[in-house]
Amino acid sequence: MLLILSMANILVSIAWDSGGQSTPTIQLTSVDYNDGYHESSAVVPGSSKKLTEYLLSRHNLNAPPDGLLDVHYEMELVHILGIDELKQTMTVLVYVDEKWTDPSLSWDPALFGGITKTWLPMDKIWVPDIIIFNMLEHEDLLSSVRAPALIYQNGTVEASHPAVHTVSCEINIKHFPLDDQRCALEIASWAYGKDKIRLHAHTEHSLEHYTDNEEWRLLKVSVVEAEYVHEGINVSELRYDVSVKRRPLFYMVTLTFPSYVMCAISVVGLFARFSTTGEREVVAYFLFNMVTVSIAAMTTGIVMRVHRMGRFGDEPNRWVMRIFCLRPLQKKEALCTVNPKSSIHSYMLKGTKTNGDFKNGETVPLNNRVSALEGYVRKLVNTCENIQGELDYFDIDDPTTIRRRRETNGYIRISERLDLLFMSFFLTLVTIPVAVLFYLS
């Protein structure tokens, strides 16, 4: 009856919530663009097209500007997507802004309807080859969009784009989870030396759009202008050092605090004075189980180590196999074939060689060339005996045979016996106290 009433209450509450929900709405806040700009008086028809054709006819996208080129570079850190301690990498979302001057992209505004700036596709103009040297992965978020570059009348080019970079950095987790990390983004030109391109860092908007990471707290971003030698070329380099600190609250709540509560309860329950005598035995039982499980977890490392020793086909000594009541398996006999295109036709060698003769499987050579065949087979036997041990390292058989050979390896069979032995031992060890407690109760 109580179950029916509770189910009815749940259904009524669901119906009430669904009936009481309101339809979501969309709220729009518009902007007034009435700033005194009149299109009819400011724009000359066809001037933008004429300017674009003029610039593309003068500019060569394969030729850099003459002389020394100053590139003003700014990288705005937007979000730290994550830090992988195992792969030693950091992934960040950044906005990149590059600015340089190309005289071949300048014009006189009076000849083109007073236009002082225009936009050209990035793939139509020359762009400096500036990359992140310690970058492992790169994703240009505007790769599928024809992102334009902003061109001013004096030839100043301003190109900006968002990107996701994964860079390699040294992660030290010695003080986990109270650790600090520092990852660098090393930015430089790939082919042009400092006598052609010089980088100048800007930090006006470096953290303007930054959003916090749930696990890492940003401490600071330092930018250093330096020089870097790459393939014998001295290039201008910018180094962005990102310093972060791990937020330990998540690990404190999920790991440290529960472990402390369990240990505190166990210690207090073990040493506190109770009015009855059963509680102390129960607490001691829980402590015993914790210690037993910890030791059992450590013994799995021994089993894994033994199992790994048989990965490459090595076999243990016979006395080790006898300790675990195992018998070494017999290997298959060697099979050697001769090239059928040779003067001596194909032969199969079966059995073992004894005093220069064959026990069984001896074949008679064709054309009565007995002496020549015996010398050839002796050399073939010696060759097969030398390479027989090395053939086990190559996967020349089908996958089923390879798997069967690995399963019958001596070390792997010993690890299986150790699994059964340790499982039986620890299972018996944790079962005995339970039986004793039931007996005493």
Side-chain angles (χ1 to χ4, degrees):
M1 186 65 180
L2 292 176
L3 180 61
I4 296 175
L5 290 176
S6 61
M7 292 293 294
N9 291 330
I10 294 174
L11 293 176
V12 170
S13 62
I14 293 175
W16 177 266
D17 292 339
S18 60
Q21 290 180 353
S22 59
T23 304
T25 59
I26 300 176
Q27 185 177 3
L28 172 64
T29 302
S30 60
V31 179
D32 185 12
Y33 291 102
N34 187 13
D35 53 358
Y37 178 80
H38 300 284
E39 182 179 357
S40 58
S41 60
V43 176
V44 177
S47 58
S48 179
K49 177 182 178 181
K50 181 181 178 181
L51 176 60
T52 301
E53 294 175 351
Y54 170 75
L55 294 178
L56 294 180
S57 63
R58 293 183 57 205
H59 180 71
N60 186 351
L61 62 87
N62 297 318
D66 297 330
L68 180 63
L69 182 63
D70 292 324
V71 178
H72 300 270
Y73 190 95
E74 181 177 4
M75 176 181 291
E76 181 181 352
L77 181 62
V78 180
H79 187 64
I80 300 176
L81 299 179
I83 295 179
D84 194 327
E85 295 86 350
L86 183 62
K87 296 181 179 180
Q88 302 279 296
T89 59
M90 179 183 69
T91 304
V92 293
L93 171 63
V94 296
Y95 293 162
V96 178
D97 186 27
E98 299 173 301
K99 187 182 297 184
W100 67 93
T101 300
D102 192 340
S104 63
L105 294 175
S106 60
W107 71 91
D108 185 4
L111 302 179
F112 300 95
I115 296 178
T116 58
K117 61 181 180 181
T118 188
W119 292 265
L120 292 178
M122 292 287 293
D123 57 350
K124 299 297 183 180
I125 64 174
W126 178 87
V127 179
D129 58 340
I130 299 176
I131 64 170
I132 299 178
F133 269 63
N134 60 333
M135 176 179 61
L136 300 179
E137 294 181 7
H138 165 74
E139 180 182 0
D140 191 352
L141 301 182
L142 297 181
S143 58
S144 60
V145 182
R146 191 181 64 174
L150 178 61
I151 315 294
Y152 292 93
Q153 61 180 3
N154 61 349
T156 300
V157 183
E158 185 174 348
S160 60
H161 63 277
V164 176
H165 296 296
T166 300
V167 297
S168 61
C169 54
E170 184 177 356
I171 305 297
N172 187 359
I173 57 174
K174 178 180 179 180
H175 302 288
F176 175 87
L178 305 174
D179 54 331
D180 299 344
Q181 304 297 338
R182 186 177 66 178
C183 293
L185 291 87
E186 302 170 358
I187 302 164
S189 173
W190 180 262
Y192 297 100
K194 69 174 184 178
D195 55 345
K196 181 60 181 178
I197 291 181
R198 291 185 181 178
L199 297 178
H200 302 277
H202 289 262
T203 58
E204 290 83 1
H205 311 89
S206 294
L207 297 176
E208 184 176 349
H209 299 93
Y210 178 76
T211 57
D212 290 331
N213 183 278
E214 295 181 356
E215 184 178 359
W216 298 93
R217 180 169 63 89
L218 179 64
L219 298 178
K220 66 176 181 178
V221 178
S222 59
V223 186
V224 179
E225 295 182 3
E227 296 180 359
Y228 179 78
V229 178
H230 168 63
E231 295 184 354
I233 303 175
N234 197 357
V235 299
S236 177
E237 179 192 29
L238 296 180
R239 182 183 178 94
Y240 281 75
D241 290 325
V242 180
S243 300
V244 294
K245 182 179 181 62
R246 193 190 302 269
R247 301 178 187 269
L249 181 60
F250 173 77
Y251 299 96
M252 291 295 181
V253 173
T254 58
L255 295 177
T256 307
F257 185 72
S259 301
Y260 166 75
V261 172
M262 293 176 60
C263 294
I265 293 176
S266 300
V267 172
V268 172
L270 183 62
F271 294 100
R273 297 181 178 273
F274 295 98
S275 57
T276 60
T277 59
E279 287 81 355
R280 179 168 297 185
E281 285 78 4
V282 173
V283 174
Y285 166 71
F286 280 115
L287 288 177
F288 174 77
N289 283 347
M290 293 172 60
V291 173
T292 304
V293 172
S294 301
I295 297 176
M298 289 186 290
T299 56
T300 57
I302 301 175
V303 180
M304 294 176 62
R305 184 177 181 84
V306 174
H307 188 278
R308 192 178 293 112
M309 293 172 65
R311 179 184 300 177
F312 301 104
D314 296 337
E315 293 290 341
N317 296 328
R318 291 181 177 271
W319 64 268
V320 178
M321 300 286 288
R322 295 192 188 98
I323 292 177
F324 293 93
C325 301
L326 294 173
R327 180 181 301 176
L329 298 179
Q330 298 295 333
K331 292 186 178 181
K332 293 182 179 180
E333 298 176 347
L335 182 65
C336 303
T337 59
V338 185
N339 188 357
K341 296 181 181 180
S342 61
S343 59
I344 303 178
H345 292 267
S346 300
Y347 296 92
M348 182 176 295
L349 178 62
K350 297 182 180 179
T352 57
K353 181 179 177 183
T354 305
N355 298 326
D357 299 328
F358 296 97
K359 293 181 179 179
N360 52 16
E362 184 179 7
T363 56
V364 180
L366 299 178
N367 301 326
N368 297 325
R369 302 176 63 177
V370 178
S371 59
L373 177 61
E374 288 179 350
Y376 179 81
V377 171
R378 289 192 185 96
K379 295 181 180 179
L380 188 60
V381 170
N382 294 331
T383 304
C384 290
E385 289 177 349
N386 293 332
I387 67 173
Q388 180 178 355
E390 299 180 1
L391 289 177
D392 293 337
Y393 290 91
F394 299 94
D395 294 338
I396 58 175
D397 299 327
D398 60 287
T400 305
T401 305
I402 297 172
R403 185 175 64 254
R404 187 181 298 112
R405 184 171 64 247
R406 292 178 178 176
E407 290 177 353
T408 55
N409 180 268
Y411 283 111
I412 295 179
R413 294 166 63 197
I414 291 176
S415 64
E416 294 175 354
R417 288 293 177 92
L418 288 175
D419 280 331
L420 294 176
L421 179 62
F422 285 134
M423 182 182 65
S424 303
F425 173 75
F426 287 107
L427 186 60
T428 304
L429 196 62
V430 297
T431 305
I432 292 177
V434 176
V436 172
L437 287 177
F438 272 103
Y439 176 77
L440 294 177
S441 61

